[in-house]
Amino acid sequence: MKRVKIIGTGSYVPEKVLTNFDIEKIVDTSDEWIRTRTGMSERHIASDRDKASDLAIKAANRALKDSGIAPDEIDLILVATATPDMFFPSTACFVQSSIGAGRSASFDISAACSGYIYALSVAENYIKSDKYNTVLLIASEVFSKYIDWGDRNTCVLFGDGAAATILRGFKGSRMDGIISTHIYSDGRYANLLYLRGGGSSCPPTHESINHKLHFLKMKGNSLFKIAIKNMSEVAREALSSNGYKISDVDILIPHQANKRIIDAVAENLKIPQEKIFINIEKYGNTSAATIPLALDEALKEGRIKKGDLILMVAFGGGLTWGSALIRW
Ligand code: COA
């Protein structure tokens, strides 16, 4: 039976670090408020010149090196991003030309913070259907460019970063590699997190700029509650649909939007803290990149060993959410 496994990972965050103390100088907030309400201490911020593709290319090259494959072995490039270089061409096309993956098809996936799990599901199904065998999946976000740095409700939360994963088909049993992915959406809640300016509902005008419509807008409180509920439910479904219990999970890699959301999900699932990988204090919410960034870091730190059961759960604008269950 054709299965899908991850054969390489890599990540990249911009050099510039913005600490909570730096943000204290920009808006009326405090390191104490940010740390206790979100679990974040610092985040990385792209330079004015850096585009989503620049971060993506660096992460992709690291994943290529890690996997040991050549760029022309890649059949498909997927870039999960809500902050692409342009409306079109896709950011994936810019990555393709830079890394020299001449044979690949390339497109972007838009599912906000759930983008990595959505793209993983797309890659999994392309490979299992035998259409493609090797997929480069990169999540890359530069939300710092779309943040209102005068709005303390949002500017403390986001950071920039990219992380890449290379997936390949192999012959194995049903419980090898990616065991399952589940993805969901509920567009009735689109108004909780969105970026309207520049889209066809709001083409750029002087007025749209004056009304700050080119910045991300968020209703944090409502999102907070739905995120806990949906991430808990989707985690339970990932396990029950494959005959596993929470005690079978070796490592939970949740989307890193707020440490309090992760703690509440952990409490609902009754999973001990030591089985959860959390790096939100260093990066903030890097949107689609949080899960692959955490995966890459967990691997480099030796937190994941062969045979481990990895549960990933994501949540984001759309609303979108999803899970992936992987036997390493
Ligand atoms: N510094 C200081 N005070 C702040 C602040 C900041 N950076 N941001 C908000 N506040 C204030 C608010 O103005 C409010 O003050 P008020 O009571 O005088 O009006 C107070 O803190 C409480 O605000 P509230 O929104 O209830 O806080 P919260 O505990 O819900 O935390 C979030 C706010 C945004 C951290 C939290 O709701 C959250 O993380 N939501 C989910 C966000 C998310 O996941 N987004 C991405 C989805 S992928």
Side-chain angles (χ1 to χ4, degrees), residues 204-224:
T205 58
H206 290 295
E207 214 181 18
S208 71
I209 289 169
N210 291 341
H211 286 100
K212 298 189 166 188
L213 298 181
H214 297 268
F215 295 129
L216 168 151
K217 302 273 189 271
M218 184 184 83
K219 295 195 179 117
N221 226 288
S222 313
L223 276 175
F224 190 92

Side-chain angles (χ1 to χ4, degrees), residues 130-144:
D130 249 344
K131 172 84 179 160
Y132 297 123
N133 198 49
T134 305
V135 178
L136 167 62
L137 188 181
I138 313 150
S140 184
E141 302 280 24
V142 283
F143 260 106
S144 66

